[in-house]
Amino acid sequence: MAQRPYIVGNWKMNGTRAMLSEARAIDRASQRLMKVEVAVAPPFTLIHATRKEAQQMAIGAQDCHAGSEGAHTGDVSASMVADAGASFVILGHSERRQNHTETDEMVKAKADSAIEAGLKVIVCCGETEADRDAGKAIDVVTSQLRGSLPVGGDVAERLTVAYEPVWAIGTGRVAADSDVAEMHAAIRALLLELYGEPEEDSEVRILYGGSVKPENAAQILSIADVGGALVGGASLTAESFLGIVMGATEAEEAAA
Ligand code: PGA
């Protein structure tokens, strides 16, 4: 049996304590929508407070430093986010890669550090529009993942991959179903090469991200090997985020 669909809200640089009511509403509803695993990654400043609101959903961070402590003004380590209540961290998001010039090597170092601190990790990848137009999308994404994914031990049990075409993030544009299926199959083949056959029920989930909305969630989640969604803009209100969780529930029921 495959794992439950995993729907993760990435709040990015949004949210003050006024948004805790949204977190509470998402958590309460997720207790009734148990066919789907629900998680939210608020900004660092809200991790502790959202964790206190959450009885069912997981709380994560959107980044962490690769080091464990020291003279790194403004940075936050994996063990610090774990201490604040996070159980996972999103790493290598294209906004981090672009705005903070994060390389694959840096993402891998962060992933190793997060695993060491006991966190689960969601490693992001995705091609630009120019890469796709040049027919290089699969090469770019698999090369990013080869450089960014943690290896060794039982890391696969704590790993999720998020495929997010850069041109689909926050734009309202979504990749064609056939392109998503093709990319997820290529990522699956790479995961098999790196980690071998998974134990039953512990297959690494591959999320799709980029303009996922309540209106398109069930469709996207019914594509082969789409194990969930990483959601930005539509995760900021309980109403729209729960619309996506409902869509995932529908897709799960249809597949059963
Ligand atoms: P979006 O963002 O849903 O607003 O397109 C997705 C993401 O960046 O994770």
Side-chain angles (χ1 to χ4, degrees), residues 139-232:
D139 285 350
V140 166
V141 166
T142 49
S143 140
Q144 266 176 358
L145 287 174
R146 275 185 197 284
S148 308
L149 287 175
V151 282
D154 55 3
V155 293
E157 283 167 27
R158 291 205 261 142
L159 175 67
T160 299
V161 171
Y163 166 56
E164 301 197 298
V166 177
W167 49 271
I169 295 177
T171 59
R173 295 167 61 199
V174 178
D177 289 5
S178 55
D179 290 338
V180 176
E182 186 187 30
M183 185 63 82
H184 281 229
I187 295 171
R188 178 64 63 204
L190 177 66
L191 292 172
L192 204 60
E193 179 195 319
L194 295 177
Y195 303 111
E197 278 292 342
E199 299 283 320
E200 204 183 344
D201 291 352
S202 66
E203 195 169 59
V204 174
R205 281 173 295 196
I206 307 170
L207 315 183
Y208 175 80
S211 298
V212 178
K213 306 267 181 280
E215 301 75 46
N216 60 21
Q219 166 64 22
I220 292 170
L221 284 149
S222 64
I223 301 171
D225 222 342
V226 173
L230 184 54
V231 185

Side-chain angles (χ1 to χ4, degrees), residues 6 18 20 24 33 41 53 87 91 118 121 124 130 142 145 157 166 184 189 192-193 226 232 241 247-248 250:
Y6 188 25
L20 291 176
R24 202 176 309 127
L33 297 165
E53 296 294 340
S87 59
L91 295 171
V121 296
C124 302
T142 49
L145 287 174
E157 283 167 27
V166 177
H184 281 229
L192 204 60
E193 179 195 319
V226 173
F241 192 54
E250 270 171 43

Side-chain angles (χ1 to χ4, degrees), residues 92-155:
H93 189 283
S94 64
E95 287 153 14
R96 302 277 331 159
R97 291 177 186 266
Q98 276 171 1
N99 304 345
H100 298 268
T101 50
E102 282 191 13
T103 61
D104 295 340
E105 202 179 12
M106 288 159 75
V107 175
K108 182 178 182 309
K110 291 178 179 206
D112 288 339
S113 171
I115 299 271
E116 175 77 26
L119 295 170
K120 295 180 183 168
V121 296
I122 300 178
V123 175
C124 302
C125 57
E127 82 284 0
T128 63
E129 188 155 35
D131 295 331
R132 180 152 289 277
D133 289 347
K136 292 194 289 196
I138 289 187
D139 285 350
V140 166
V141 166
T142 49
S143 140
Q144 266 176 358
L145 287 174
R146 275 185 197 284
S148 308
L149 287 175
V151 282
D154 55 3
V155 293

Side-chain angles (χ1 to χ4, degrees), residues 5-8 26 29-30 32-39 212-214 217 221 231 238-252:
Y6 188 25
I7 306 296
V8 183
I26 293 166
S30 71
R32 297 191 303 274
L33 297 165
M34 293 293 289
K35 290 195 169 135
V36 175
E37 192 174 335
V38 177
V212 178
K213 306 267 181 280
L221 284 149
V231 185
E239 190 185 359
S240 60
F241 192 54
L242 290 169
I244 293 169
V245 177
M246 293 293 293
T249 305
E250 270 171 43
E252 183 67 358

